[in-house]
Short mmCIF file of all heavy atoms in Angstrom, two decimals:
data_model
loop_
_atom_site.label_atom_id
_atom_site.label_comp_id
_atom_site.label_asym_id
_atom_site.label_seq_id
_atom_site.Cartn_x
_atom_site.Cartn_y
_atom_site.Cartn_z
N MET A 384 0.84 -1.17 0.00
CA MET A 384 0.00 0.00 0.00
C MET A 384 0.90 1.25 0.00
O MET A 384 1.94 1.27 0.65
CB MET A 384 -0.90 0.01 1.23
CG MET A 384 -1.76 -1.23 1.40
SD MET A 384 -3.03 -1.40 0.18
CE MET A 384 -4.30 -0.42 0.87
N PHE A 385 0.44 2.28 -0.71
CA PHE A 385 1.22 3.50 -0.84
C PHE A 385 0.36 4.72 -0.57
O PHE A 385 -0.82 4.75 -0.90
CB PHE A 385 1.79 3.60 -2.26
CG PHE A 385 2.74 2.50 -2.59
CD1 PHE A 385 2.29 1.33 -3.18
CD2 PHE A 385 4.08 2.63 -2.30
CE1 PHE A 385 3.17 0.30 -3.48
CE2 PHE A 385 4.97 1.60 -2.60
CZ PHE A 385 4.51 0.44 -3.19
N LYS A 386 0.96 5.72 0.03
CA LYS A 386 0.28 6.97 0.36
C LYS A 386 1.02 8.12 -0.33
O LYS A 386 2.24 8.22 -0.23
CB LYS A 386 0.30 7.15 1.88
CG LYS A 386 -0.57 8.24 2.40
CD LYS A 386 -1.98 7.74 2.52
CE LYS A 386 -2.82 8.76 3.27
NZ LYS A 386 -4.21 8.48 3.18
N ALA A 387 0.27 8.98 -1.03
CA ALA A 387 0.88 10.12 -1.73
C ALA A 387 1.18 11.25 -0.74
O ALA A 387 0.41 11.51 0.18
CB ALA A 387 -0.06 10.63 -2.82
N VAL A 388 2.32 11.90 -0.95
CA VAL A 388 2.74 13.04 -0.15
C VAL A 388 3.22 14.12 -1.11
O VAL A 388 3.98 13.85 -2.04
CB VAL A 388 3.88 12.67 0.83
CG1 VAL A 388 4.30 13.86 1.64
CG2 VAL A 388 3.47 11.53 1.72
N ILE A 389 2.77 15.36 -0.90
CA ILE A 389 3.14 16.47 -1.77
C ILE A 389 3.98 17.46 -0.96
O ILE A 389 3.60 17.86 0.14
CB ILE A 389 1.88 17.21 -2.29
CG1 ILE A 389 0.87 16.23 -2.88
CG2 ILE A 389 2.26 18.31 -3.26
CD1 ILE A 389 1.36 15.41 -4.02
N PHE A 390 5.14 17.84 -1.50
CA PHE A 390 6.02 18.81 -0.88
C PHE A 390 5.95 20.10 -1.70
O PHE A 390 6.22 20.09 -2.89
CB PHE A 390 7.45 18.31 -0.85
CG PHE A 390 7.60 17.00 -0.11
CD1 PHE A 390 7.59 15.81 -0.80
CD2 PHE A 390 7.74 16.99 1.26
CE1 PHE A 390 7.72 14.60 -0.13
CE2 PHE A 390 7.87 15.78 1.94
CZ PHE A 390 7.85 14.59 1.24
N LEU A 391 5.58 21.21 -1.05
CA LEU A 391 5.47 22.49 -1.73
C LEU A 391 6.37 23.52 -1.06
O LEU A 391 6.58 23.47 0.16
CB LEU A 391 4.04 23.03 -1.67
CG LEU A 391 2.94 22.22 -2.32
CD1 LEU A 391 1.60 22.86 -2.00
CD2 LEU A 391 3.15 22.14 -3.80
N PHE A 392 6.85 24.47 -1.84
CA PHE A 392 7.51 25.63 -1.31
C PHE A 392 6.77 26.82 -1.91
O PHE A 392 6.87 27.09 -3.10
CB PHE A 392 8.99 25.65 -1.68
CG PHE A 392 9.77 26.69 -0.94
CD1 PHE A 392 10.07 26.51 0.41
CD2 PHE A 392 10.20 27.83 -1.56
CE1 PHE A 392 10.78 27.47 1.10
CE2 PHE A 392 10.91 28.79 -0.88
CZ PHE A 392 11.20 28.62 0.46
N ILE A 393 5.97 27.49 -1.08
CA ILE A 393 5.10 28.57 -1.55
C ILE A 393 5.74 29.90 -1.17
O ILE A 393 6.13 30.12 -0.03
CB ILE A 393 3.70 28.45 -0.92
CG1 ILE A 393 3.09 27.10 -1.30
CG2 ILE A 393 2.81 29.59 -1.36
CD1 ILE A 393 1.80 26.78 -0.58
N TYR A 394 5.80 30.81 -2.14
CA TYR A 394 6.35 32.13 -1.91
C TYR A 394 5.20 33.09 -1.60
O TYR A 394 4.25 33.20 -2.36
CB TYR A 394 7.13 32.61 -3.13
CG TYR A 394 7.79 33.95 -2.94
CD1 TYR A 394 8.83 34.09 -2.03
CD2 TYR A 394 7.38 35.05 -3.64
CE1 TYR A 394 9.46 35.30 -1.84
CE2 TYR A 394 8.01 36.28 -3.47
CZ TYR A 394 9.04 36.40 -2.56
OH TYR A 394 9.64 37.61 -2.37
N THR A 395 5.28 33.81 -0.47
CA THR A 395 4.20 34.70 -0.05
C THR A 395 4.51 36.17 -0.31
O THR A 395 3.75 37.03 0.09
CB THR A 395 3.92 34.52 1.45
OG1 THR A 395 5.08 34.90 2.19
CG2 THR A 395 3.52 33.11 1.78
N GLY A 396 5.60 36.47 -0.97
CA GLY A 396 5.96 37.85 -1.24
C GLY A 396 7.16 38.31 -0.43
O GLY A 396 7.98 39.07 -0.89
N GLU A 397 7.24 37.85 0.81
CA GLU A 397 8.37 38.22 1.66
C GLU A 397 9.11 37.00 2.17
O GLU A 397 10.29 37.08 2.49
CB GLU A 397 7.88 39.05 2.85
CG GLU A 397 7.33 40.40 2.45
CD GLU A 397 6.89 41.22 3.65
OE1 GLU A 397 7.26 40.86 4.78
OE2 GLU A 397 6.19 42.21 3.44
N VAL A 398 8.41 35.90 2.28
CA VAL A 398 9.02 34.71 2.87
C VAL A 398 8.50 33.47 2.13
O VAL A 398 7.39 33.47 1.60
CB VAL A 398 8.69 34.64 4.39
CG1 VAL A 398 7.23 34.42 4.62
CG2 VAL A 398 9.51 33.61 5.10
N GLY A 399 9.32 32.44 2.10
CA GLY A 399 8.90 31.17 1.52
C GLY A 399 8.42 30.24 2.62
O GLY A 399 9.00 30.19 3.71
N ILE A 400 7.35 29.53 2.36
CA ILE A 400 6.78 28.64 3.36
C ILE A 400 6.83 27.21 2.84
O ILE A 400 6.15 26.88 1.86
CB ILE A 400 5.33 29.02 3.67
CG1 ILE A 400 5.27 30.45 4.19
CG2 ILE A 400 4.72 28.06 4.67
CD1 ILE A 400 3.88 30.98 4.36
N PRO A 401 7.62 26.33 3.47
CA PRO A 401 7.59 24.92 3.09
C PRO A 401 6.31 24.28 3.62
O PRO A 401 5.90 24.53 4.75
CB PRO A 401 8.83 24.34 3.75
CG PRO A 401 9.16 25.27 4.85
CD PRO A 401 8.60 26.61 4.50
N THR A 402 5.66 23.50 2.80
CA THR A 402 4.38 22.89 3.16
C THR A 402 4.36 21.44 2.71
O THR A 402 4.84 21.11 1.63
CB THR A 402 3.23 23.65 2.46
OG1 THR A 402 3.33 25.03 2.79
CG2 THR A 402 1.88 23.14 2.89
N ILE A 403 3.79 20.58 3.54
CA ILE A 403 3.60 19.18 3.19
C ILE A 403 2.11 18.89 3.18
O ILE A 403 1.39 19.24 4.12
CB ILE A 403 4.31 18.25 4.18
CG1 ILE A 403 5.81 18.49 4.16
CG2 ILE A 403 3.99 16.78 3.88
CD1 ILE A 403 6.58 17.72 5.20
N ILE A 404 1.63 18.27 2.12
CA ILE A 404 0.22 17.89 2.01
C ILE A 404 0.15 16.37 1.93
O ILE A 404 0.73 15.76 1.04
CB ILE A 404 -0.43 18.51 0.76
CG1 ILE A 404 -0.36 20.03 0.84
CG2 ILE A 404 -1.86 18.03 0.60
CD1 ILE A 404 -0.80 20.74 -0.40
N ASN A 405 -0.55 15.78 2.87
CA ASN A 405 -0.76 14.34 2.86
C ASN A 405 -2.05 14.03 2.13
O ASN A 405 -3.05 14.74 2.27
CB ASN A 405 -0.84 13.79 4.29
CG ASN A 405 0.48 13.87 5.00
OD1 ASN A 405 1.46 13.32 4.54
ND2 ASN A 405 0.53 14.56 6.11
N ASP A 406 -2.04 12.98 1.35
CA ASP A 406 -3.22 12.55 0.60
C ASP A 406 -4.34 12.20 1.57
O ASP A 406 -4.17 11.37 2.46
CB ASP A 406 -2.84 11.33 -0.24
CG ASP A 406 -3.96 10.86 -1.14
OD1 ASP A 406 -5.02 11.49 -1.18
OD2 ASP A 406 -3.75 9.83 -1.80
N PRO A 407 -5.52 12.84 1.44
CA PRO A 407 -6.62 12.56 2.36
C PRO A 407 -7.36 11.25 2.04
O PRO A 407 -8.14 10.78 2.86
CB PRO A 407 -7.55 13.75 2.16
CG PRO A 407 -7.30 14.19 0.76
CD PRO A 407 -5.84 13.91 0.50
N LEU A 408 -7.10 10.69 0.88
CA LEU A 408 -7.79 9.46 0.47
C LEU A 408 -7.07 8.23 1.01
O LEU A 408 -5.90 8.31 1.39
CB LEU A 408 -7.89 9.39 -1.05
CG LEU A 408 -8.69 10.53 -1.70
CD1 LEU A 408 -8.62 10.42 -3.21
CD2 LEU A 408 -10.13 10.52 -1.23
N PRO A 409 -7.75 7.08 1.03
CA PRO A 409 -7.10 5.85 1.49
C PRO A 409 -5.89 5.49 0.62
O PRO A 409 -5.79 5.93 -0.53
CB PRO A 409 -8.19 4.79 1.33
CG PRO A 409 -9.47 5.53 1.27
CD PRO A 409 -9.15 6.87 0.69
N PRO A 410 -4.98 4.68 1.14
CA PRO A 410 -3.79 4.30 0.38
C PRO A 410 -4.14 3.55 -0.91
O PRO A 410 -5.18 2.91 -1.01
CB PRO A 410 -3.04 3.36 1.34
CG PRO A 410 -3.58 3.64 2.67
CD PRO A 410 -4.98 4.11 2.48
N THR A 411 -3.25 3.67 -1.89
CA THR A 411 -3.41 2.95 -3.14
C THR A 411 -2.71 1.59 -3.05
O THR A 411 -1.83 1.41 -2.21
CB THR A 411 -2.82 3.75 -4.32
OG1 THR A 411 -1.43 3.92 -4.09
CG2 THR A 411 -3.50 5.09 -4.47
N LYS A 412 -3.07 0.69 -3.94
CA LYS A 412 -2.47 -0.64 -3.92
C LYS A 412 -1.13 -0.69 -4.64
O LYS A 412 -0.26 -1.46 -4.28
CB LYS A 412 -3.43 -1.65 -4.53
CG LYS A 412 -4.66 -1.87 -3.69
CD LYS A 412 -5.57 -2.90 -4.30
CE LYS A 412 -6.81 -3.06 -3.43
NZ LYS A 412 -7.73 -4.05 -3.95
N THR A 413 -0.98 0.15 -5.67
CA THR A 413 0.26 0.10 -6.45
C THR A 413 0.99 1.45 -6.42
O THR A 413 0.37 2.50 -6.19
CB THR A 413 -0.01 -0.27 -7.92
OG1 THR A 413 -0.75 0.79 -8.53
CG2 THR A 413 -0.78 -1.58 -8.02
N PHE A 414 2.28 1.39 -6.67
CA PHE A 414 3.10 2.59 -6.70
C PHE A 414 2.67 3.53 -7.84
O PHE A 414 2.61 4.74 -7.66
CB PHE A 414 4.58 2.20 -6.87
CG PHE A 414 5.53 3.34 -6.78
CD1 PHE A 414 5.75 3.99 -5.58
CD2 PHE A 414 6.21 3.77 -7.91
CE1 PHE A 414 6.63 5.06 -5.49
CE2 PHE A 414 7.09 4.83 -7.83
CZ PHE A 414 7.30 5.48 -6.62
N SER A 415 2.33 2.97 -8.99
CA SER A 415 1.93 3.80 -10.13
C SER A 415 0.62 4.53 -9.85
O SER A 415 0.45 5.68 -10.25
CB SER A 415 1.85 2.98 -11.42
OG SER A 415 0.91 1.95 -11.28
N GLU A 416 -0.32 3.88 -9.17
CA GLU A 416 -1.57 4.56 -8.80
C GLU A 416 -1.29 5.71 -7.84
O GLU A 416 -1.91 6.77 -7.92
CB GLU A 416 -2.53 3.58 -8.12
CG GLU A 416 -3.15 2.57 -9.03
CD GLU A 416 -4.00 1.54 -8.28
OE1 GLU A 416 -3.71 1.25 -7.10
OE2 GLU A 416 -4.94 1.03 -8.89
N CYS A 417 -0.35 5.50 -6.95
CA CYS A 417 0.03 6.53 -5.99
C CYS A 417 0.64 7.74 -6.70
O CYS A 417 0.30 8.89 -6.40
CB CYS A 417 1.01 5.96 -4.98
SG CYS A 417 1.55 7.15 -3.74
N LEU A 418 1.53 7.50 -7.64
CA LEU A 418 2.14 8.61 -8.40
C LEU A 418 1.09 9.37 -9.19
O LEU A 418 1.14 10.60 -9.27
CB LEU A 418 3.22 8.08 -9.33
CG LEU A 418 4.51 7.60 -8.66
CD1 LEU A 418 5.47 7.05 -9.70
CD2 LEU A 418 5.16 8.71 -7.87
N LEU A 419 0.14 8.67 -9.76
CA LEU A 419 -0.94 9.33 -10.50
C LEU A 419 -1.77 10.20 -9.57
O LEU A 419 -2.13 11.32 -9.91
CB LEU A 419 -1.82 8.29 -11.20
CG LEU A 419 -2.94 8.84 -12.05
CD1 LEU A 419 -2.41 9.74 -13.16
CD2 LEU A 419 -3.75 7.70 -12.66
N ARG A 420 -2.06 9.70 -8.39
CA ARG A 420 -2.83 10.49 -7.42
C ARG A 420 -2.05 11.74 -7.03
O ARG A 420 -2.61 12.83 -6.94
CB ARG A 420 -3.15 9.67 -6.18
CG ARG A 420 -4.07 10.44 -5.25
CD ARG A 420 -4.52 9.66 -4.08
NE ARG A 420 -5.39 8.58 -4.48
CZ ARG A 420 -5.73 7.58 -3.67
NH1 ARG A 420 -5.28 7.55 -2.43
NH2 ARG A 420 -6.52 6.63 -4.08
N GLY A 421 -0.74 11.61 -6.80
CA GLY A 421 0.09 12.77 -6.48
C GLY A 421 0.07 13.79 -7.59
O GLY A 421 -0.01 15.00 -7.35
N ALA A 422 0.14 13.33 -8.83
CA ALA A 422 0.09 14.24 -9.99
C ALA A 422 -1.25 14.95 -10.05
O ALA A 422 -1.31 16.15 -10.36
CB ALA A 422 0.34 13.46 -11.27
N ASN A 423 -2.32 14.26 -9.75
CA ASN A 423 -3.65 14.89 -9.76
C ASN A 423 -3.78 15.94 -8.66
O ASN A 423 -4.40 16.98 -8.86
CB ASN A 423 -4.75 13.82 -9.62
CG ASN A 423 -4.94 13.02 -10.88
OD1 ASN A 423 -4.69 13.51 -11.98
ND2 ASN A 423 -5.36 11.79 -10.74
N ILE A 424 -3.19 15.68 -7.50
CA ILE A 424 -3.21 16.67 -6.42
C ILE A 424 -2.43 17.91 -6.85
O ILE A 424 -2.88 19.04 -6.65
CB ILE A 424 -2.63 16.07 -5.12
CG1 ILE A 424 -3.56 14.99 -4.58
CG2 ILE A 424 -2.42 17.17 -4.06
CD1 ILE A 424 -2.98 14.18 -3.43
N LEU A 425 -1.26 17.73 -7.47
CA LEU A 425 -0.48 18.86 -7.96
C LEU A 425 -1.26 19.66 -9.00
O LEU A 425 -1.21 20.89 -9.02
CB LEU A 425 0.84 18.40 -8.56
CG LEU A 425 1.93 18.02 -7.56
CD1 LEU A 425 3.14 17.48 -8.29
CD2 LEU A 425 2.30 19.19 -6.68
N LYS A 426 -1.99 18.97 -9.85
CA LYS A 426 -2.79 19.64 -10.88
C LYS A 426 -3.81 20.57 -10.24
O LYS A 426 -3.98 21.72 -10.68
CB LYS A 426 -3.49 18.58 -11.74
CG LYS A 426 -4.34 19.14 -12.84
CD LYS A 426 -4.98 18.00 -13.61
CE LYS A 426 -6.01 18.50 -14.59
NZ LYS A 426 -6.67 17.39 -15.29
N VAL A 427 -4.47 20.12 -9.20
CA VAL A 427 -5.46 20.94 -8.50
C VAL A 427 -4.79 22.13 -7.82
O VAL A 427 -5.29 23.26 -7.88
CB VAL A 427 -6.25 20.10 -7.47
CG1 VAL A 427 -7.10 20.97 -6.57
CG2 VAL A 427 -7.11 19.07 -8.18
N ILE A 428 -3.64 21.90 -7.21
CA ILE A 428 -2.92 22.98 -6.53
C ILE A 428 -2.50 24.05 -7.52
O ILE A 428 -2.63 25.25 -7.25
CB ILE A 428 -1.70 22.42 -5.77
CG1 ILE A 428 -2.18 21.59 -4.58
CG2 ILE A 428 -0.77 23.54 -5.31
CD1 ILE A 428 -1.10 20.78 -3.91
N TYR A 429 -1.99 23.66 -8.69
CA TYR A 429 -1.54 24.63 -9.68
C TYR A 429 -2.68 25.43 -10.30
O TYR A 429 -2.46 26.48 -10.88
CB TYR A 429 -0.73 23.95 -10.79
CG TYR A 429 0.72 23.79 -10.44
CD1 TYR A 429 1.30 22.53 -10.34
CD2 TYR A 429 1.54 24.89 -10.21
CE1 TYR A 429 2.64 22.38 -10.02
CE2 TYR A 429 2.88 24.74 -9.88
CZ TYR A 429 3.42 23.49 -9.79
OH TYR A 429 4.73 23.34 -9.48
N GLN A 430 -3.91 24.97 -10.17
CA GLN A 430 -5.06 25.72 -10.68
C GLN A 430 -5.42 26.88 -9.76
O GLN A 430 -6.16 27.77 -10.16
CB GLN A 430 -6.26 24.79 -10.85
CG GLN A 430 -6.07 23.83 -12.00
CD GLN A 430 -7.19 22.79 -12.10
OE1 GLN A 430 -8.03 22.68 -11.22
NE2 GLN A 430 -7.18 22.03 -13.17
N GLY A 431 -4.92 26.87 -8.53
CA GLY A 431 -5.17 27.95 -7.58
C GLY A 431 -4.28 29.14 -7.85
O GLY A 431 -3.44 29.15 -8.75
N ASN A 432 -4.45 30.16 -7.05
CA ASN A 432 -3.66 31.39 -7.21
C ASN A 432 -2.52 31.43 -6.19
O ASN A 432 -2.43 32.34 -5.38
CB ASN A 432 -4.56 32.62 -7.04
CG ASN A 432 -5.56 32.74 -8.16
OD1 ASN A 432 -5.25 32.41 -9.29
ND2 ASN A 432 -6.75 33.21 -7.85
N HIS A 433 -1.65 30.45 -6.24
CA HIS A 433 -0.53 30.38 -5.32
C HIS A 433 0.77 30.63 -6.08
O HIS A 433 0.90 30.26 -7.24
CB HIS A 433 -0.46 28.99 -4.67
CG HIS A 433 -1.74 28.55 -4.05
ND1 HIS A 433 -2.26 29.12 -2.92
CD2 HIS A 433 -2.61 27.59 -4.42
CE1 HIS A 433 -3.39 28.54 -2.61
NE2 HIS A 433 -3.64 27.60 -3.51
N SER A 434 1.71 31.27 -5.42
CA SER A 434 3.03 31.48 -5.99
C SER A 434 3.92 30.32 -5.55
O SER A 434 4.60 30.39 -4.53
CB SER A 434 3.61 32.81 -5.53
OG SER A 434 2.81 33.87 -5.98
N ILE A 435 3.89 29.25 -6.32
CA ILE A 435 4.62 28.05 -5.96
C ILE A 435 6.01 28.09 -6.59
O ILE A 435 6.14 28.21 -7.79
CB ILE A 435 3.86 26.80 -6.39
CG1 ILE A 435 2.52 26.75 -5.66
CG2 ILE A 435 4.66 25.54 -6.12
CD1 ILE A 435 1.58 25.68 -6.15
N VAL A 436 7.02 28.00 -5.74
CA VAL A 436 8.41 28.01 -6.20
C VAL A 436 8.83 26.61 -6.61
O VAL A 436 9.50 26.42 -7.61
CB VAL A 436 9.33 28.56 -5.09
CG1 VAL A 436 10.78 28.49 -5.52
CG2 VAL A 436 8.93 29.97 -4.73
N GLU A 437 8.43 25.63 -5.81
CA GLU A 437 8.81 24.24 -6.08
C GLU A 437 7.72 23.32 -5.58
O GLU A 437 7.11 23.57 -4.55
CB GLU A 437 10.13 23.92 -5.37
CG GLU A 437 10.67 22.56 -5.69
CD GLU A 437 12.03 22.33 -5.04
OE1 GLU A 437 12.60 23.24 -4.44
OE2 GLU A 437 12.52 21.19 -5.15
N ALA A 438 7.46 22.25 -6.33
CA ALA A 438 6.47 21.26 -5.92
C ALA A 438 6.94 19.88 -6.36
O ALA A 438 7.42 19.72 -7.48
CB ALA A 438 5.11 21.57 -6.53
N LYS A 439 6.81 18.92 -5.45
CA LYS A 439 7.20 17.55 -5.76
C LYS A 439 6.16 16.61 -5.18
O LYS A 439 5.67 16.84 -4.09
CB LYS A 439 8.57 17.21 -5.17
CG LYS A 439 9.71 17.98 -5.78
CD LYS A 439 11.02 17.56 -5.19
CE LYS A 439 12.15 18.38 -5.82
NZ LYS A 439 13.45 17.97 -5.34
N ALA A 440 5.86 15.57 -5.91
CA ALA A 440 4.96 14.53 -5.42
C ALA A 440 5.77 13.26 -5.22
O ALA A 440 6.63 12.93 -6.03
CB ALA A 440 3.82 14.28 -6.41
N GLY A 441 5.49 12.58 -4.15
CA GLY A 441 6.18 11.34 -3.87
C GLY A 441 5.22 10.36 -3.22
O GLY A 441 4.08 10.70 -2.91
N CYS A 442 5.68 9.15 -3.03
CA CYS A 442 4.85 8.13 -2.41
C CYS A 442 5.62 7.48 -1.27
O CYS A 442 6.82 7.26 -1.37
CB CYS A 442 4.45 7.07 -3.44
SG CYS A 442 3.35 7.71 -4.70
N VAL A 443 4.89 7.17 -0.22
CA VAL A 443 5.46 6.51 0.94
C VAL A 443 4.80 5.15 1.06
O VAL A 443 3.58 5.03 1.01
CB VAL A 443 5.18 7.34 2.22
CG1 VAL A 443 5.70 6.63 3.44
CG2 VAL A 443 5.77 8.73 2.09
N LYS A 444 5.64 4.11 1.21
CA LYS A 444 5.09 2.77 1.38
C LYS A 444 4.67 2.61 2.84
O LYS A 444 5.43 2.94 3.75
CB LYS A 444 6.13 1.71 1.03
CG LYS A 444 5.58 0.32 1.06
CD LYS A 444 6.56 -0.69 0.54
CE LYS A 444 5.91 -2.06 0.53
NZ LYS A 444 6.76 -3.06 -0.03
N ILE A 445 3.44 2.16 3.03
CA ILE A 445 2.95 1.95 4.39
C ILE A 445 2.63 0.48 4.58
O ILE A 445 2.27 -0.23 3.64
CB ILE A 445 1.72 2.83 4.69
CG1 ILE A 445 0.58 2.55 3.72
CG2 ILE A 445 2.06 4.28 4.65
CD1 ILE A 445 -0.70 3.22 4.07
N GLU A 446 2.82 0.04 5.77
CA GLU A 446 2.55 -1.37 6.10
C GLU A 446 1.12 -1.52 6.58
O GLU A 446 0.63 -0.68 7.32
CB GLU A 446 3.52 -1.83 7.20
CG GLU A 446 4.97 -1.76 6.80
CD GLU A 446 5.34 -2.69 5.66
OE1 GLU A 446 4.77 -3.79 5.58
OE2 GLU A 446 6.20 -2.31 4.84
N GLU A 447 0.48 -2.58 6.15
CA GLU A 447 -0.86 -2.86 6.63
C GLU A 447 -0.75 -3.51 8.01
O GLU A 447 0.05 -4.42 8.21
CB GLU A 447 -1.58 -3.82 5.69
CG GLU A 447 -1.92 -3.21 4.34
CD GLU A 447 -2.74 -4.17 3.52
OE1 GLU A 447 -3.91 -4.41 3.90
OE2 GLU A 447 -2.21 -4.66 2.52
N LYS A 448 -1.57 -3.04 8.93
CA LYS A 448 -1.57 -3.61 10.27
C LYS A 448 -2.66 -4.68 10.34
O LYS A 448 -3.79 -4.45 9.96
CB LYS A 448 -1.85 -2.53 11.31
CG LYS A 448 -0.75 -1.52 11.39
CD LYS A 448 -1.06 -0.48 12.45
CE LYS A 448 0.04 0.57 12.49
NZ LYS A 448 -0.24 1.59 13.48
N SER A 449 -2.28 -5.83 10.79
CA SER A 449 -3.28 -6.89 10.94
C SER A 449 -3.89 -6.79 12.33
O SER A 449 -3.23 -6.48 13.31
CB SER A 449 -2.64 -8.26 10.74
OG SER A 449 -1.59 -8.45 11.66
N ILE A 450 -5.18 -7.06 12.38
CA ILE A 450 -5.91 -6.95 13.65
C ILE A 450 -6.05 -8.32 14.27
O ILE A 450 -6.26 -9.29 13.66
CB ILE A 450 -7.28 -6.31 13.42
CG1 ILE A 450 -7.10 -4.91 12.87
CG2 ILE A 450 -8.07 -6.27 14.71
CD1 ILE A 450 -8.38 -4.23 12.48
#
């Protein structure tokens, strides 16, 4: 299982703010699905009126916990 994580560096005019956005949806089963989800999140962010200096999407492998 994989969880998408987005790293942003937003410029506010005087200072840069590093920001991390965790995917609010459940984990994906494959790495490629996770990367696609990260790309879709970036697409939505870029449609806003933010001064983004740098943006990266990545995936974190998470372990399933058995009950």
Side-chain angles (χ1 to χ4, degrees):
M384 305 291 275
F385 297 91
K386 191 82 170 168
V388 180
I389 310 301
F390 302 95
L391 298 174
F392 191 73
I393 301 171
Y394 183 67
T395 63
E397 294 182 14
V398 67
I400 300 173
T402 306
I403 298 174
I404 300 172
N405 291 302
D406 184 4
L408 298 175
T411 61
K412 292 182 181 180
T413 67
F414 186 70
S415 60
E416 288 175 331
C417 180
L418 289 177
L419 182 59
R420 186 175 293 167
N423 286 332
I424 292 170
L425 283 176
K426 180 180 171 183
V427 170
I428 290 169
Y429 275 118
Q430 290 174 351
N432 293 325
H433 308 291
S434 297
I435 298 171
V436 176
E437 185 176 355
K439 294 182 181 183
C442 293
V443 177
K444 186 173 183 176
I445 59 172
E446 299 296 325
E447 291 186 69
K448 294 181 182 179
S449 58
I450 298 175

